[in-house]
Amino acid sequence: MVEYTDPLCPWAWGSEPTFRKLRASLTGEVRWRRAYAILFDHDDDPAPDPAAETAWYTRYVTEISAHTLAPRPLLLKRVAASSWPSSLVAKAAEFQGPDVAERVLRRLRESVFVRGEPADTTALALSAARGVPGLDPRRLAADAACADVLERVRADRAEARRPVPEVLSVRDESPHPGAAKETLDGGHRYALPTLVFHLGATHRVVPGWRPFEAYVAAVEELRPGLPKPAEPLSPAGALERHRSLTEPERQVLTEGAWPPPHAVRLDTASGPVWLHPDEAAARPEVTPSGPASP
């Protein structure tokens, strides 16, 4: 399964509850690969009025958040200048194992949609990853700057610009149905996020922002009997596993009284993000005031 994504994409951020649930239900059954499509590219023209662009993008993110219920920042400082630094760091983190990679990508997403300062430089992307459990920061910096990782992200970008024919025209009632986006050279790239499930020469594609059931149906067409429903986690167990949970995520992933006593609440413009105390201690945006009440 390939997830075409970008660390700084608001629709991908809003899909995290569904994707976390889907990954849990496919554990051990599917190889899940991320391809970084580069939403904010080097050839994008700079905004003539950065303040106006930021105001427009803030409204855009607010509209998306109204659909996905994902957190959005209290203040968005600017629109991301480039997706390359965060994509390189996210790809480099994969060399340190899936858990580290998941948590680094999560930090990169939260840089813009929680903190309001997109990780659009190498320094900011590396800083966003600081304190991730099990992470070797020196190795991350070295790998993110190496030619191999650059070539891997270039390959991801190129792959995302070869969409399957089914997504060139999409009809769906979703606010983000996921039809492929036209590129400046007259080609197309996948809308973000898009999942493509492969089994041999057969594939199924689910583009855009979709309910969990749409992904289940695609998987079942290829492999009847999958996905297997995952047992809900206890609140404390979910916080230990994921370190950071939004309200939509804790509702679909956990069962039991919320919040767990040690959870740290971080408020955003559209609901809280719940942090493991160790995660909160590593985050500069969190005031060290201890666990918060619901």
Side-chain angles (χ1 to χ4, degrees):
M1 198 232 68
V2 185
E3 175 189 349
Y4 296 94
T5 191
D6 186 287
L8 309 180
C9 172
W11 286 109
W13 167 239
S15 298
E16 277 294 278
T18 297
F19 289 178
R20 280 184 161 181
K21 182 178 179 180
L22 184 63
R23 284 194 293 272
S25 67
L26 294 172
T27 298
E29 302 288 348
V30 172
R31 184 170 70 91
W32 188 300
R33 176 171 67 86
R34 288 193 175 94
Y36 292 103
I38 308 297
L39 180 60
F40 299 97
D41 212 339
H42 290 323
D43 57 5
D44 294 341
D45 293 330
D49 185 342
E53 182 190 41
T54 299
W56 172 83
Y57 196 68
T58 296
R59 292 193 295 271
Y60 177 66
V61 170
T62 299
E63 291 172 1
I64 293 173
S65 176
H67 291 296
T68 66
L69 306 181
R72 57 184 175 86
L74 293 167
L75 174 66
L76 180 65
K77 295 183 179 179
R78 64 179 184 282
V79 179
S82 173
S83 291
W84 281 95
S86 59
S87 297
L88 290 167
V89 167
K91 185 65 70 175
E94 294 176 1
F95 292 161
Q96 300 193 40
D99 287 344
V100 167
E102 287 289 335
R103 289 171 179 172
V104 168
L105 177 56
R106 178 63 173 222
R107 292 279 197 88
L108 294 166
R109 295 198 195 282
E110 291 184 352
S111 73
V112 57
F113 301 113
V114 176
R115 295 180 62 186
E117 184 175 17
D120 57 358
T121 69
T122 299
L124 287 172
L126 292 172
S127 177
R130 189 175 298 133
V132 164
L135 176 72
D136 180 339
R138 291 185 178 181
R139 181 184 177 188
L140 182 68
D143 287 341
C146 77
D148 179 42
V149 167
L150 176 59
E151 286 306 309
R152 289 175 186 237
V153 176
R154 282 175 173 168
D156 283 354
R157 181 188 180 279
E159 181 183 338
R161 282 154 179 78
R162 297 190 298 269
V164 295
E166 299 96 301
V167 300
L168 296 180
S169 178
V170 177
R171 295 181 181 275
D172 190 84
E173 295 181 359
S174 167
H176 179 47
K181 304 293 184 180
E182 189 169 350
T183 55
L184 293 175
D185 61 2
H188 292 85
R189 70 155 171 83
Y190 284 112
L192 306 180
T194 291
L195 300 193
V196 183
F197 301 89
H198 297 272
L199 181 64
T202 306
H203 71 265
R204 295 292 185 271
V205 58
V206 186
W209 185 67
R210 300 300 177 96
F212 179 74
E213 291 74 20
Y215 302 100
V216 170
V219 173
E220 285 184 332
E221 287 184 17
L222 295 177
R223 283 283 301 274
L226 290 181
K228 300 174 182 177
E231 289 293 326
L233 297 171
S234 69
L239 209 57
E240 183 70 31
R241 168 67 184 88
H242 294 292
R243 315 290 284 191
S244 169
L245 289 163
T246 64
E247 276 291 296
E249 287 171 335
R250 70 95 173 170
Q251 290 174 12
V252 301
L253 296 174
T254 74
E255 188 174 88
W258 190 271
H262 61 294
V264 177
R265 176 176 176 144
L266 177 60
D267 285 312
T268 74
S270 53
V273 175
W274 301 94
L275 304 177
H276 187 281
D278 293 344
E279 178 73 11
R283 305 276 286 264
E285 71 270 31
V286 180
T287 301
S289 57
S293 59

